[in-house]
């Protein structure tokens, strides 16, 4: 899977790493897997490193994934995310996510 995560239990944080080409299908599969993890759902704080990836999905696809997967699985819970980017495209998509996630997440790019 091009997106992986590890849990830092001591600091109560989830570390995500995105590598290679990331499609909407990859992200959807990943979010379903991530949000099914009971430990993740207790912590709900992530550091997302996008620097080693190339994003291959549109803002429209991202919005659909948030609406269809994230919102129902979070079911009113909040989240915090720090997003690390390395290029303008990653920054643009991160800002789009920030706007889409305003209702449930506090983000920093």
């Amino acid at each position: 899977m091009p997106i992986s995560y590890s849990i830092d239990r001591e600091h109560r944080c989830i570390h995500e790493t995105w590598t290679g080409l990331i499609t909407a299908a990859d992200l959807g599969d990943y979010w379903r897997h991530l949000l099914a993890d009971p430990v993740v759902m207790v912590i709900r704080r992530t550091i997302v490193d996008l620097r080693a990836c190339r994003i291959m999905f549109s803002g429209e696809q991202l919005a659909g994934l948030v609406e269809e997967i994230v919102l129902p699985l979070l079911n009113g819970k909040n989240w915090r995310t720090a997003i690390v980017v390395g290029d303008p495209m990653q920054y643009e998509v991160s800002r789009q996510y920030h706007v889409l996630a305003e209702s449930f997440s506090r983000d920093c790019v």
Side-chain angles (χ1 to χ4, degrees):
M1 185 175 278
I3 307 172
S4 62
Y5 72 95
S6 62
I7 297 171
D8 181 340
R9 291 176 190 267
E10 180 181 346
H11 295 105
R12 296 183 46 86
C13 189
I14 302 135
H15 296 270
E16 289 184 23
T17 304
W18 296 32
T19 56
L21 301 178
I22 308 293
T23 66
D26 294 326
L27 182 55
D29 290 346
Y30 173 73
W31 275 346
R32 284 182 194 92
H33 174 73
L34 177 76
L35 298 173
D37 185 324
V39 176
V40 166
M41 292 303 288
V42 168
I43 296 173
R44 298 188 319 276
R45 290 179 20 176
T46 52
I47 298 172
V48 180
D49 187 346
L50 303 180
R51 293 174 295 177
C53 81
R54 184 165 172 219
I55 295 170
M56 307 298 292
F57 52 83
S58 69
E60 184 177 318
Q61 289 172 309
L62 179 61
L65 293 171
V66 168
E67 184 73 27
E68 296 166 17
I69 298 169
V70 176
L71 290 174
L73 291 175
L74 280 182
N75 194 28
K77 293 178 177 74
N78 63 353
W79 201 280
R80 288 191 168 181
T81 302
I83 304 171
V84 182
V85 300
D87 67 43
M89 176 63 166
Q90 293 167 351
Y91 180 78
E92 181 181 328
V93 171
S94 297
R95 295 298 297 159
Q96 289 173 346
Y97 173 78
H98 175 76
V99 170
L100 293 167
E102 282 182 319
S103 68
F104 64 86
S105 187
R106 299 287 180 244
D107 304 322
C108 176
V109 178

